[in-house]
Amino acid sequence: MRFRVENLGPLRAAEVDLSKDLLVLTGPNNTGKTYFAWSVYGLLRTPPKGLEGIGKKLLAAAGAEVDLTPLWGECLSDVARAFQGNLRSCFAAPAHSFDRAKIDLRVDDTAWLSERLFPLEEIARKFGAKVSGPTIRLTDDLSVSLLARPPARAAIRILGRAADGSHSNDIGWDGVPSELQASLPAVAGRLLGSQMTWFTMGCDVFPAERIAVNIFAKELALKRMELVNEVLEESDDRGAADAFGTVLRRAGRYPWPIQHSLLVANDMANLAKKESKHADLASEIESAILGGVVRVSEHGELTFAPHQASGQHLAIHLTASVVKSLASLVFYFRHLARGSELLIIDEPELNLHPDNQRKIARVLAKAVNRGFKVMMSTHSDYIIRELNHLIMLGTPSEKTHRLAEELGYDSACLIHPERVGVYLFQDGTARPIEVNETGFDVKTIEDEIVKVNSVTQRLFAELFE
């Protein structure tokens, strides 16, 4: 699936293939990487609607082959229009800021629609129905048979009870009892909607503001509570108009990704009761990078216990910047991560020494190999080079296996180049960068490294030789 934005912030036009498992957004500052990443987060908060209408179209053609491509396109167009109307809320900005903005979703290669069409066992569990071959038995008297036809076509058959008690094929829409006709379009629509996994996956976002969120979330929540109390008092004393004026004057608005982070930060005591099956990734970050353990206090606040100071628990504002930067990611992997989710991480290199930048790249690649999707924006040459190492070793062979062992790379973090998408944000657009078995090059970063090396060489040549 391709996601395209136009006239959004500094972006004139940017299109990214969201089907990749690891997406790297890079480029100079102020070129729209955060605008784009936050748009993806907002997109996933805009679920598809109108599937019942599509279900009617599917059932109207029962017994014949149906081309799903235009129906799928209708779903995507509905989502794009709905999110375009939500841009103001997503970015907490005036509506006129998005007067010229445009959102578009499309699928170029629809072959996968047939390949993954109608996962019957999964659908049967959702509907409490029985499955027999390609048929879902909805009631004793009615079944729907769904057959894939490449590319992106489907044959849909409605089977009803015949006079002799057996099921007859292709009774068509007219043969469906009237009391069931009202419910079947919704069922058929949900069958198609079950393929829209991009819009049902979870999404967690780690913005560049995560350090401030970790430190000030409680204080911000207290200020909000004070504001609510003041509004309620004014509403009683002077009326709703004055209370609304107080809200307009004093209430701060936050973009959706910041709201998300604040909600998690203020509910940690409750969320920490859960344990994720991916908690070992949290432990890896703690042992390999932080040198201590991140925990949640009884008051729902993050604390840190350094390995070298047994028994000491530091409040998060007293910890090193690397702890502040990665504590929320540790909490996520230990308590919230479910797999098959999208992680959006703005500059994972924040406050990390080069060796730790390489280590966090490995952890994120390992998450990708567990089924997560990861979208990161980065300026770090160390992260880019480490990802290139993982890509170079990502094609299985006797030689890559030997080299990975000799160089200390866990095979669980190696990644195939076809799973990686890289985009250079520059001059109002996003240009795809080729990813092959040697990795990828980011010209803006490579050029600056060449310039720095050139200056160093000249200074040594003229001053010290």
Side-chain angles (χ1 to χ4, degrees), residues 50-128:
L51 291 175
E52 183 173 344
I54 292 175
K56 290 181 179 178
K57 293 180 181 179
L58 284 171
L59 290 169
E65 287 193 10
V66 180
D67 185 357
L68 294 181
T69 304
L71 300 183
W72 179 259
E74 287 183 32
C75 282
L76 297 181
S77 295
D78 288 344
V79 173
R81 281 193 298 270
F83 175 55
Q84 189 165 319
N86 285 335
L87 283 172
R88 174 186 180 181
S89 299
C90 179
F91 288 94
H96 64 77
S97 302
F98 309 102
D99 285 345
R100 298 176 58 243
K102 183 179 179 182
I103 303 296
D104 187 47
L105 288 167
R106 62 185 175 86
V107 175
D108 289 333
D109 180 11
T110 54
W112 66 276
L113 281 172
S114 290
E115 294 168 4
R116 293 193 249 172
L117 193 62
F118 305 131
L120 296 183
E121 296 292 344
E122 177 184 342
I123 292 172
R125 286 195 296 271
K126 289 181 180 179
F127 289 104

Side-chain angles (χ1 to χ4, degrees), residues 214 218 264-275 286 293-305 313-316 327-328 330-332 334-336:
N214 287 337
K218 298 299 181 184
V264 171
N266 280 301
D267 196 28
M268 284 187 170
N270 180 52
L271 296 174
K273 297 175 183 178
K274 308 172 186 176
E275 186 75 13
E286 290 171 327
V293 179
V294 175
R295 288 291 182 265
V296 178
S297 72
E298 59 181 340
H299 304 295
E301 297 176 332
L302 289 174
T303 65
F304 181 67
H313 292 268
L314 301 174
I316 198 69
S328 54
V330 169
F331 180 85
Y332 168 78
R334 176 161 287 128
H335 299 293
L336 303 179

Side-chain angles (χ1 to χ4, degrees), residues 83-333:
F83 175 55
Q84 189 165 319
N86 285 335
L87 283 172
R88 174 186 180 181
S89 299
C90 179
F91 288 94
H96 64 77
S97 302
F98 309 102
D99 285 345
R100 298 176 58 243
K102 183 179 179 182
I103 303 296
D104 187 47
L105 288 167
R106 62 185 175 86
V107 175
D108 289 333
D109 180 11
T110 54
W112 66 276
L113 281 172
S114 290
E115 294 168 4
R116 293 193 249 172
L117 193 62
F118 305 131
L120 296 183
E121 296 292 344
E122 177 184 342
I123 292 172
R125 286 195 296 271
K126 289 181 180 179
F127 289 104
K130 298 179 180 178
V131 173
S132 176
T135 300
I136 300 177
R137 184 176 175 184
L138 298 174
T139 70
D140 288 340
D141 297 315
L142 187 67
S143 300
V144 178
S145 181
L146 306 156
L147 304 174
R149 298 278 196 261
R153 300 181 73 87
I156 301 175
R157 294 181 176 180
I158 301 173
L159 312 178
R161 184 78 66 178
D164 60 1
S166 63
H167 278 92
S168 60
N169 290 335
D170 302 335
I171 65 171
W173 180 245
D174 293 336
V176 177
S178 58
E179 65 270 17
L180 291 175
Q181 286 194 19
S183 60
L184 269 180
V187 172
R190 288 171 66 185
L191 293 177
L192 179 61
S194 69
Q195 303 305 307
M196 301 186 74
T197 54
W198 240 97
F199 302 99
T200 57
M201 71 168 65
C203 180
D204 271 82
V205 60
F206 303 88
E209 296 84 352
R210 58 187 176 271
I211 295 176
V213 169
N214 287 337
I215 296 175
F216 299 115
K218 298 299 181 184
E219 286 81 356
L220 290 172
L222 179 61
K223 291 294 184 183
R224 287 287 171 117
M225 184 175 67
E226 292 173 351
L227 176 59
V228 169
N229 289 334
E230 183 177 337
V231 168
L232 291 174
E233 290 174 3
E234 288 198 14
S235 180
D236 291 337
D237 296 339
R238 298 198 299 273
D242 286 337
F244 183 67
T246 298
V247 173
L248 290 179
R249 289 192 305 274
R250 295 189 49 200
R253 294 182 299 167
Y254 302 113
W256 283 353
I258 304 300
Q259 289 182 30
H260 176 103
S261 299
L262 287 169
L263 288 171
V264 171
N266 280 301
D267 196 28
M268 284 187 170
N270 180 52
L271 296 174
K273 297 175 183 178
K274 308 172 186 176
E275 186 75 13
S276 167
K277 65 180 180 181
H278 303 285
D280 61 301
L281 294 178
S283 298
E284 183 173 340
I285 294 173
E286 290 171 327
S287 61
I289 300 176
L290 302 184
V293 179
V294 175
R295 288 291 182 265
V296 178
S297 72
E298 59 181 340
H299 304 295
E301 297 176 332
L302 289 174
T303 65
F304 181 67
H307 289 324
Q308 71 270 24
S310 179
Q312 187 178 24
H313 292 268
L314 301 174
I316 198 69
H317 70 277
L318 298 175
T319 64
S321 57
V322 63
V323 178
K324 296 186 185 78
S325 182
L326 293 180
S328 54
L329 188 61
V330 169
F331 180 85
Y332 168 78
F333 280 128

Side-chain angles (χ1 to χ4, degrees), residues 1 17-20 23 40-41 43-44 72 195-203 342 373 375:
M1 184 172 70
D17 181 2
L18 297 181
S19 67
K20 300 295 184 180
L23 283 164
V40 172
Y41 174 81
L43 180 71
L44 292 181
W72 179 259
Q195 303 305 307
M196 301 186 74
T197 54
W198 240 97
F199 302 99
T200 57
M201 71 168 65
C203 180
L342 173 66
K373 284 182 175 289
M375 173 183 287

Side-chain angles (χ1 to χ4, degrees), residues 29-48:
N29 296 117
N30 301 318
T31 52
K33 297 184 294 297
T34 298
Y35 267 91
F36 190 89
W38 285 14
S39 295
V40 172
Y41 174 81
L43 180 71
L44 292 181
R45 283 189 49 170
T46 309

